Amino acid sequence: MSAPAFSLPALHYDYSALEPHIDATTMTIHHTKHHNTYVNNMNAVCQKDASLLSLDLVALNQKVGDTSAISADVMTTVRNNGGGHWNHSFFWTVLGKPADNNGPSAEVKGAIDAAFGSFDQMQSAFNAAAAGRFGSGWAWLGVDAASKGLVITSTPNQDNPLMTAVVDKPCIPILGLDVWEHAYYLKYQNKRPEYIQNFWQVVNWDNVNKYFAEATQGHVPSVLPKPAL
């Protein structure tokens, strides 16, 4: 029997590393249960439709909505679970221990100032996008492919800005925040804005800085330790 096409990536920190801002129980459940479900569902749909194996995880996300690349009968499954797998794989890499938070690079600071006026204004706009996303979804800071400038957007469910055919504002993400209730409810209950504010204490700016450099060259951040397929 061949190995599964997709696997759950290991975290580069302990589940307790983000305390007190994101609790260890939430991290454990979020990674081993919620994220792993998306991985298992993607492996199951690949068994159903082997043509999906010709695309890696980034390409699968980029082709959502394109029935010439992904058949209509599995499109929703790929959109929800391929999106969920990429989103979470990305999310884990932009989180880090509070003590390791080195802040944005000069290049990222310059891009933030150019797009939003200041870091505080960017943060306020990002927080508003995250808090204002009705129901479940994500908030994103990303690089616009045409202008190379930074933009903020939010997406529902497990959509992401790589899904150019289905989202309002496509971009290459460099920072993202999961605002599904399973990401914060055990600690914050209905206080999503408090979770959003505390998120900034555990942003891994070293990776955000690296992703910005890659995105301005047109490259989607490499968030998995090896190719997905």
Side-chain angles (χ1 to χ4, degrees):
M1 183 177 178
S2 60
F6 298 97
S7 60
L8 184 70
L11 302 187
H12 297 291
Y13 42 81
D14 295 335
Y15 290 124
S16 62
L18 309 182
E19 294 271 11
H21 310 291
I22 302 178
D23 62 283
T25 301
T26 292
M27 285 296 298
T28 302
I29 296 170
H30 198 173
H31 181 242
T32 64
K33 303 300 183 184
H34 292 284
H35 186 178
N36 201 42
T37 295
Y38 299 122
V39 172
N40 291 338
N41 288 344
M42 281 304 299
N43 286 324
V45 76
C46 286
Q47 290 184 331
K48 177 180 178 181
D49 185 346
S51 69
L52 297 173
L53 297 171
S54 66
L55 299 171
D56 66 16
L57 184 60
V58 169
L60 283 168
N61 278 266
Q62 292 171 326
K63 296 295 184 180
V64 164
D66 179 0
T67 54
S68 69
I70 302 172
S71 64
D73 63 330
V74 298
M75 182 70 74
T76 298
T77 301
V78 172
R79 179 175 181 173
N80 292 339
N81 294 281
H85 183 25
W86 192 88
N87 293 352
H88 286 85
S89 298
F90 176 84
F91 184 47
W92 309 135
T93 70
V94 297
L95 300 176
K97 297 177 182 179
D100 296 341
N101 188 339
N102 294 318
S105 65
E107 293 76 14
V108 172
K109 286 179 181 176
I112 287 171
D113 290 347
F116 307 103
S118 70
F119 182 88
D120 287 346
Q121 287 175 289
M122 178 280 291
Q123 193 176 59
S124 293
F126 185 97
N127 291 358
R133 168 49 57 189
F134 182 77
S136 301
W138 294 75
W140 307 94
L141 176 68
V143 173
D144 178 78
S147 71
K148 306 301 182 185
L150 290 174
V151 296
I152 287 171
T153 189
S154 73
T155 54
N157 302 316
Q158 293 298 344
D159 288 359
N160 63 57
L162 301 177
M163 301 176 180
T164 57
V166 300
V167 296
D168 296 332
K169 190 182 292 184
C171 63
I172 299 176
I174 68 168
L175 180 66
L177 176 60
D178 188 348
V179 294
W180 283 62
E181 285 190 343
H182 66 237
Y184 62 87
Y185 203 84
L186 287 180
K187 180 176 179 66
Y188 295 97
Q189 290 81 50
N190 62 329
K191 296 174 285 190
R192 184 193 286 187
E194 184 179 346
Y195 160 70
I196 295 166
Q197 189 61 45
N198 287 339
F199 158 72
W200 295 101
Q201 302 302 315
V202 293
V203 171
N204 183 333
W205 284 104
D206 289 344
N207 278 344
V208 176
N209 296 335
K210 180 178 72 172
Y211 295 162
F212 174 75
E214 293 172 353
T216 55
Q217 297 299 312
H219 303 306
V220 176
S222 177
V223 299
L224 294 172
K226 59 183 180 180
L229 300 180

